Amino acid sequence: MARLHRQAADGSEAHLAGPNDQVLDLFDGTTTGRKTDQSRLIITGHLGFLRNHVPQDHDRDHKITVDQRKPSDVIAHEIWRRLLPNYEAALQAAWDDKHASDGIAAARQQLAATAAAHLGVQHQDQDTDFHFGTVDAGVHGRVCVRPGASDSVFTVRVPHDRVAEFARLLATFGRLP
């Protein structure tokens, strides 16, 4: 097998593009500095931005090494047999996690938009942490719609002359004793 001489910006020496946006990165093992990688071709399933969504049980199983001296058809068979099933599983798991994460983020943004609309506040589309009211108007504060199943946080500043009124309003809202 001919040596690959030109390195890409991400450190790989070549990319193999496949169906469904699958990409394999190829590295010359001599570039790793590890003695065990000498004369090896390192082939990794490229995850790109999805690498942050790969579950831990798939974190390291989308990479193989093969002897560079093996014929190309043997290397292709090793990729097909050892790498692709794990890479496709890791890629699918990452997409599933990404879609779930996007759904949670969209629900969080919608909740923040609803709260802002009720408070008469304009905020950025992706902003889930915003201020409402002004010091001059009296009641003012901050709303933070936190990610996940966490409760949202309202920090409300109330002038002393309106505290009793605010407490009564809060008690009726939350059915507090």
Side-chain angles (χ1 to χ4, degrees), residues 126-143:
Q126 307 256 340
D127 192 7
T128 56
D129 189 346
F130 56 89
H131 293 274
F132 64 92
T134 64
V135 174
D136 295 341
V139 176
H140 64 283
R142 179 175 165 244
V143 177

Side-chain angles (χ1 to χ4, degrees), residues 13-26:
E13 301 200 359
H15 300 287
L16 296 175
N20 303 320
D21 297 323
Q22 293 178 353
V23 176
L24 300 181
D25 295 328
L26 284 74

Side-chain angles (χ1 to χ4, degrees), residues 1 6-7 34 38 40 45 47 49 54 56 69 77 80 88 91 95 101 107 114 138 142 144 150 157 162 164 166:
M1 175 174 219
R6 208 156 126 158
Q7 226 175 18
R34 291 175 30 159
Q38 302 299 310
R40 306 290 293 170
L47 296 168
F49 73 94
V54 177
Q56 286 184 339
R69 296 169 293 202
H77 180 73
W80 180 79
E88 289 170 348
L91 201 56
W95 274 116
S101 176
T114 300
R142 179 175 165 244
C144 177
S150 299
R157 298 185 185 274
R162 299 189 71 193
F166 182 77

